[in-house]
Amino acid sequence: MSGQSTLVPGELSPTRTVPGNIRRPEYVGRPAPTPYTGPERQSPETIEAMRTAGRIAARALAAAAKAIAPGVTTDELDRIAHAYMVDHGAYPSTLGYRGFPKSLCTSVNEVICHGIPDSTVLRDGDIINLDVTAYIGGVHGDNNATYLVGDVDEESRLLVERTRESLNRAIKAVRPGRQINVIGRVIESYAKRFGYGVVRDFTGHGINTSFHSGLIIPHYDSPDATTVIEPGMTFTIEPMLTLGTHTYDMWDDGWTVVTKDRKRTAQFEHTLVVTDSGAEILTLP
């Protein structure tokens, strides 16, 4: 693994603005969202709206990813994703969610998730996860991916490749009639082949008109995840695999989650809708 020093917080830029004509999620300007009380199975109209939100989120992610290179700041990646979403009529779902100050999450090296974009400069050999969610038409679309920055060591490259594969395998395991824990079982069994840690405390989630509906999608084989998968359910799968421990520390910002041993971690995510025969990915560009 790269011998680069551990990450430290950078400086935040001013909050980016969103045109007034773009619809905001109900939680913007409030301490927390209103708890979701609706169904996990969505109507065809909601699913179609989520296809639009998912497509914008995927394209914003791709636009920001094109700029990844040594010397680029994570704040610049936030600027690009923010501009793409608002230019296409979408609100960046993370902006103002429980006080989060930016329009995407940028998680570098040992950051498991929820890294805040700032003045941090990407270095040759880093890996970085970008997590983008778009809100439009009253619904959210959520996706993320981990990218290589310049010349990355083999151990980190394989971690990224295998984390992507764990998501692909988990998506293929989604079938109506199965329990939610089949998803984590597939991910954990694959990760264990390589000795990777599987993060337990941060999970996939139900998503629809609510950013997080309350449905939990563990990435390990949880005996409690017995909810039966049904057609029309919409949720994310977003495995986080580590080169060491799955345990974590949190920075003083209340958001940035880092591996306790400061070893590297990777993550990939899609928003899905369950079909009669499997799952459709809603976050494709």
Short mmCIF file of all heavy atoms in Angstrom, two decimals, residues 78-101:
data_model
loop_
_atom_site.label_atom_id
_atom_site.label_comp_id
_atom_site.label_asym_id
_atom_site.label_seq_id
_atom_site.Cartn_x
_atom_site.Cartn_y
_atom_site.Cartn_z
N ASP A 78 -16.26 19.22 -6.36
CA ASP A 78 -17.58 19.64 -5.87
C ASP A 78 -18.17 20.70 -6.78
O ASP A 78 -19.36 20.66 -7.11
CB ASP A 78 -17.44 20.17 -4.44
CG ASP A 78 -18.78 20.61 -3.86
OD1 ASP A 78 -19.54 19.73 -3.42
OD2 ASP A 78 -19.04 21.83 -3.85
N ARG A 79 -17.35 21.65 -7.19
CA ARG A 79 -17.83 22.72 -8.07
C ARG A 79 -18.39 22.15 -9.37
O ARG A 79 -19.46 22.57 -9.84
CB ARG A 79 -16.70 23.70 -8.39
CG ARG A 79 -17.14 24.91 -9.22
CD ARG A 79 -15.96 25.65 -9.81
NE ARG A 79 -15.25 24.83 -10.81
CZ ARG A 79 -15.69 24.64 -12.05
NH1 ARG A 79 -16.83 25.18 -12.47
NH2 ARG A 79 -14.98 23.91 -12.90
N ILE A 80 -17.69 21.18 -9.94
CA ILE A 80 -18.11 20.61 -11.22
C ILE A 80 -19.43 19.86 -11.08
O ILE A 80 -20.35 20.02 -11.88
CB ILE A 80 -17.01 19.68 -11.77
CG1 ILE A 80 -15.77 20.50 -12.13
CG2 ILE A 80 -17.51 18.90 -12.99
CD1 ILE A 80 -14.54 19.66 -12.41
N ALA A 81 -19.53 19.01 -10.05
CA ALA A 81 -20.76 18.24 -9.86
C ALA A 81 -21.93 19.16 -9.55
O ALA A 81 -23.05 18.96 -10.05
CB ALA A 81 -20.57 17.22 -8.74
N HIS A 82 -21.70 20.16 -8.71
CA HIS A 82 -22.74 21.14 -8.37
C HIS A 82 -23.25 21.83 -9.63
O HIS A 82 -24.48 21.91 -9.85
CB HIS A 82 -22.18 22.17 -7.40
CG HIS A 82 -23.14 23.24 -7.01
ND1 HIS A 82 -23.90 23.18 -5.86
CD2 HIS A 82 -23.48 24.42 -7.62
CE1 HIS A 82 -24.66 24.26 -5.78
NE2 HIS A 82 -24.42 25.03 -6.85
N ALA A 83 -22.33 22.29 -10.45
CA ALA A 83 -22.73 23.01 -11.66
C ALA A 83 -23.52 22.10 -12.60
O ALA A 83 -24.52 22.54 -13.20
CB ALA A 83 -21.49 23.55 -12.37
N TYR A 84 -23.10 20.86 -12.73
CA TYR A 84 -23.83 19.95 -13.62
C TYR A 84 -25.27 19.76 -13.13
O TYR A 84 -26.22 19.84 -13.92
CB TYR A 84 -23.13 18.60 -13.72
CG TYR A 84 -23.78 17.73 -14.77
CD1 TYR A 84 -23.26 17.68 -16.06
CD2 TYR A 84 -24.94 17.01 -14.51
CE1 TYR A 84 -23.88 16.93 -17.05
CE2 TYR A 84 -25.57 16.26 -15.49
CZ TYR A 84 -25.03 16.23 -16.76
OH TYR A 84 -25.67 15.50 -17.74
N MET A 85 -25.42 19.51 -11.85
CA MET A 85 -26.78 19.26 -11.34
C MET A 85 -27.68 20.47 -11.49
O MET A 85 -28.81 20.36 -12.01
CB MET A 85 -26.71 18.79 -9.88
CG MET A 85 -26.26 17.34 -9.75
SD MET A 85 -26.27 16.69 -8.05
CE MET A 85 -24.65 17.21 -7.50
N VAL A 86 -27.22 21.65 -11.08
CA VAL A 86 -28.11 22.82 -11.16
C VAL A 86 -28.34 23.21 -12.62
O VAL A 86 -29.44 23.68 -12.96
CB VAL A 86 -27.57 24.00 -10.33
CG1 VAL A 86 -27.45 23.61 -8.86
CG2 VAL A 86 -26.26 24.52 -10.85
N ASP A 87 -27.36 23.00 -13.49
CA ASP A 87 -27.56 23.28 -14.91
C ASP A 87 -28.63 22.39 -15.53
O ASP A 87 -29.20 22.72 -16.58
CB ASP A 87 -26.26 23.13 -15.68
CG ASP A 87 -25.27 24.26 -15.43
OD1 ASP A 87 -25.67 25.26 -14.81
OD2 ASP A 87 -24.10 24.13 -15.84
N HIS A 88 -28.88 21.25 -14.91
CA HIS A 88 -29.89 20.32 -15.42
C HIS A 88 -31.14 20.28 -14.53
O HIS A 88 -31.92 19.33 -14.57
CB HIS A 88 -29.27 18.92 -15.55
CG HIS A 88 -28.28 18.84 -16.67
ND1 HIS A 88 -26.97 19.26 -16.51
CD2 HIS A 88 -28.40 18.43 -17.95
CE1 HIS A 88 -26.33 19.10 -17.66
NE2 HIS A 88 -27.16 18.60 -18.54
N GLY A 89 -31.31 21.34 -13.73
CA GLY A 89 -32.54 21.51 -12.98
C GLY A 89 -32.66 20.69 -11.72
O GLY A 89 -33.75 20.58 -11.16
N ALA A 90 -31.54 20.11 -11.26
CA ALA A 90 -31.58 19.25 -10.07
C ALA A 90 -30.91 19.96 -8.89
O ALA A 90 -29.99 20.77 -9.06
CB ALA A 90 -30.87 17.93 -10.35
N TYR A 91 -31.37 19.60 -7.71
CA TYR A 91 -30.76 20.09 -6.47
C TYR A 91 -29.78 19.03 -5.96
O TYR A 91 -30.12 17.84 -5.93
CB TYR A 91 -31.84 20.36 -5.41
CG TYR A 91 -31.28 20.99 -4.15
CD1 TYR A 91 -31.24 22.37 -4.01
CD2 TYR A 91 -30.76 20.21 -3.13
CE1 TYR A 91 -30.71 22.96 -2.88
CE2 TYR A 91 -30.23 20.79 -1.99
CZ TYR A 91 -30.19 22.17 -1.87
OH TYR A 91 -29.66 22.74 -0.75
N PRO A 92 -28.56 19.43 -5.55
CA PRO A 92 -27.61 18.47 -4.98
C PRO A 92 -28.10 18.01 -3.60
O PRO A 92 -28.11 18.78 -2.64
CB PRO A 92 -26.31 19.27 -4.87
CG PRO A 92 -26.50 20.49 -5.74
CD PRO A 92 -27.96 20.77 -5.68
N SER A 93 -28.51 16.75 -3.49
CA SER A 93 -29.21 16.28 -2.30
C SER A 93 -28.42 16.43 -1.01
O SER A 93 -29.00 16.63 0.06
CB SER A 93 -29.60 14.80 -2.46
OG SER A 93 -30.44 14.61 -3.57
N THR A 94 -27.09 16.34 -1.08
CA THR A 94 -26.29 16.43 0.14
C THR A 94 -26.21 17.86 0.68
O THR A 94 -25.95 18.05 1.87
CB THR A 94 -24.86 15.90 -0.07
OG1 THR A 94 -24.22 16.69 -1.08
CG2 THR A 94 -24.87 14.44 -0.47
N LEU A 95 -26.43 18.86 -0.16
CA LEU A 95 -26.24 20.25 0.23
C LEU A 95 -27.33 20.67 1.22
O LEU A 95 -28.49 20.85 0.85
CB LEU A 95 -26.26 21.16 -1.00
CG LEU A 95 -25.96 22.63 -0.77
CD1 LEU A 95 -24.55 22.83 -0.20
CD2 LEU A 95 -26.12 23.42 -2.07
N GLY A 96 -26.95 20.78 2.49
CA GLY A 96 -27.91 21.13 3.52
C GLY A 96 -28.58 19.95 4.18
O GLY A 96 -29.44 20.14 5.05
N TYR A 97 -28.20 18.72 3.79
CA TYR A 97 -28.76 17.55 4.44
C TYR A 97 -28.12 17.38 5.82
O TYR A 97 -26.93 17.15 5.93
CB TYR A 97 -28.52 16.29 3.60
CG TYR A 97 -29.05 15.03 4.25
CD1 TYR A 97 -30.41 14.74 4.21
CD2 TYR A 97 -28.22 14.14 4.91
CE1 TYR A 97 -30.92 13.60 4.80
CE2 TYR A 97 -28.71 12.99 5.51
CZ TYR A 97 -30.07 12.72 5.45
OH TYR A 97 -30.57 11.59 6.04
N ARG A 98 -28.90 17.57 6.86
CA ARG A 98 -28.41 17.54 8.25
C ARG A 98 -27.19 18.46 8.43
O ARG A 98 -26.29 18.18 9.22
CB ARG A 98 -28.07 16.12 8.69
CG ARG A 98 -29.29 15.19 8.71
CD ARG A 98 -28.92 13.80 9.22
NE ARG A 98 -30.07 12.90 9.22
CZ ARG A 98 -30.93 12.76 10.22
NH1 ARG A 98 -30.78 13.46 11.33
NH2 ARG A 98 -31.93 11.90 10.13
N GLY A 99 -27.17 19.53 7.66
CA GLY A 99 -26.11 20.52 7.78
C GLY A 99 -24.88 20.25 6.92
O GLY A 99 -23.91 21.02 6.99
N PHE A 100 -24.88 19.20 6.10
CA PHE A 100 -23.71 18.94 5.25
C PHE A 100 -23.50 20.14 4.32
O PHE A 100 -24.45 20.61 3.69
CB PHE A 100 -23.91 17.66 4.45
CG PHE A 100 -22.67 17.17 3.77
CD1 PHE A 100 -21.75 16.39 4.46
CD2 PHE A 100 -22.40 17.50 2.45
CE1 PHE A 100 -20.59 15.93 3.84
CE2 PHE A 100 -21.24 17.04 1.82
CZ PHE A 100 -20.33 16.25 2.53
N PRO A 101 -22.25 20.62 4.21
CA PRO A 101 -22.05 21.92 3.56
C PRO A 101 -21.77 21.89 2.06
O PRO A 101 -21.62 22.95 1.46
CB PRO A 101 -20.82 22.47 4.30
CG PRO A 101 -20.01 21.24 4.62
CD PRO A 101 -21.03 20.17 4.92
#
